Amino acid sequence: KRRVAVVKRCLNIAVKRGLMTSNEWPDVEIGEARRKSSWGNKREEDPVPSVSELAEILAAIEGRDSRISVYQTLSAICAYAGLRPGEAVTLRVSDLSLPRSGWGYIEVRRSWNGTGANWGDESENEGMPKTESAQRTVPISPILVKHLRDWIAENRPTDSLFISDEGKRPSQSNWNRSLKAACEKVGIAPLSPYGLRRTCATHMVYASVLIAEAAARLGHSPEVLLTYYTKRMSGGEERSNQLLDAAYESTS
């Protein structure tokens, strides 16, 4: 599918340069493309980290010269807001509402299509989120609000949050390596960037967030949330036993 996307991009560029009169390859309807970028989409079978373990993993993602790591910030967005990696890397300052206290929100409007900078300009490398319903407003907790405010204060982006001064996006391979190294450092099973989104989904269910609300924040239906995104969580067995003990005691 990625190669098809690259071929389509080549044909569109040929039309723009006058080498072809038109590109007859029809566009796929939104929702049917099921865009699978190279950010990683493997379903982890190990239990997702607990809330405290997640905080340890994020803290262990190191930046240069004591600066906040771009991969730490991207990971925090996926872990605490449930964004897809491709949605996180295309965020702009104007997509954020970051109050000095309390909850903020992220407007999810676009996603990186995975074909790379060599296949068109920046606007062509961005597209719609995976499904039309994935354009959404996602509330974000004070912990993520503070992290993003610190990131902006340190890096002073004017438009895109993560495109460097040289016009480069964060690297998928470097993100994966940074996250894997952090997991190994704290003794947690390795996570992919997409695994952080599943971690967020599991944490919302664990916290008893309404299923419909959790699904809306992820841009999916409740059925998809429960079938593909919620996983067992580290420490979940003990908590489940405690809940059942309380239920059994109340009827004895």
Side-chain angles (χ1 to χ4, degrees):
K1 289 183 179 179
R2 187 181 180 202
R3 289 173 179 171
V4 168
V6 172
V7 170
K8 289 182 179 180
R9 182 65 55 78
C10 291
L11 296 176
N12 287 333
I13 292 174
V15 172
K16 288 185 177 181
R17 295 182 179 178
L19 302 175
M20 295 173 56
T21 57
S22 64
N23 178 8
E24 302 299 331
W25 201 325
D27 290 332
V28 178
E29 292 294 328
I30 294 174
E32 294 181 7
R34 319 301 287 176
R35 187 184 297 117
K36 302 293 185 183
S37 73
S38 59
W39 291 100
N41 197 38
K42 179 181 178 293
R43 291 187 64 188
E44 288 83 2
E45 297 303 325
D46 293 303
V48 303
S50 66
V51 174
S52 59
E53 289 171 339
L54 174 62
E56 291 183 51
I57 292 171
L58 295 177
I61 301 177
E62 299 177 351
R64 293 182 300 174
D65 303 324
S66 300
R67 292 173 63 87
I68 301 173
S69 167
V70 62
Y71 303 112
Q72 183 187 64
T73 304
L74 285 167
S75 296
I77 291 170
C78 293
Y80 290 129
L83 269 63
R84 299 175 177 87
E87 294 169 342
V89 297
T90 61
L91 286 175
R92 300 172 185 169
V93 176
S94 58
D95 297 328
L96 308 179
S97 174
L98 305 174
R100 293 190 177 276
S101 63
W103 284 67
Y105 64 82
I106 293 174
E107 295 285 354
V108 181
R109 299 187 174 104
R110 68 195 73 79
S111 182
W112 189 68
N113 65 18
T115 56
N118 293 330
W119 305 106
D121 60 32
E122 187 60 34
S123 64
E124 290 174 311
N125 280 321
E126 293 181 355
M128 299 283 285
K130 184 177 178 181
T131 60
E132 197 167 6
S133 64
Q135 294 188 79
R136 62 203 186 276
T137 300
V138 179
I140 55 175
S141 65
I143 187 172
L144 182 54
V145 169
K146 181 182 184 305
H147 188 106
L148 289 172
R149 287 179 64 88
D150 290 345
W151 169 262
I152 290 172
E154 185 173 281
N155 294 277
R156 301 188 181 281
T158 57
D159 184 24
S160 172
L161 283 180
F162 302 116
I163 295 179
S164 68
D165 294 337
E166 296 78 25
K168 295 182 179 180
R169 289 194 184 278
S171 156
Q172 172 213 348
S173 58
N174 287 341
W175 187 358
N176 276 315
R177 279 195 293 268
S178 296
L179 185 53
K180 181 179 179 181
C183 290
E184 291 177 349
K185 186 175 181 180
V186 300
I188 302 297
L191 281 171
S192 70
Y194 208 95
L196 294 169
R197 172 171 159 87
R198 296 193 177 95
T199 298
C200 179
T202 302
H203 286 180
M204 284 194 283
V205 173
Y206 183 86
S208 300
V209 174
L210 293 173
I211 296 300
E213 175 65 20
R217 295 186 184 199
L218 292 174
H220 274 306
S221 67
E223 293 79 10
V224 171
L225 169 67
L226 294 175
T227 302
Y228 297 105
Y229 281 87
T230 54
K231 306 267 293 177
R232 294 183 65 198
M233 190 169 78
S234 178
E237 180 179 341
E238 181 180 354
R239 180 175 184 267
S240 298
N241 291 346
Q242 293 172 351
L243 292 172
L244 287 171
D245 281 339
Y248 296 150
E249 290 173 3
S250 67
T251 60
S252 61

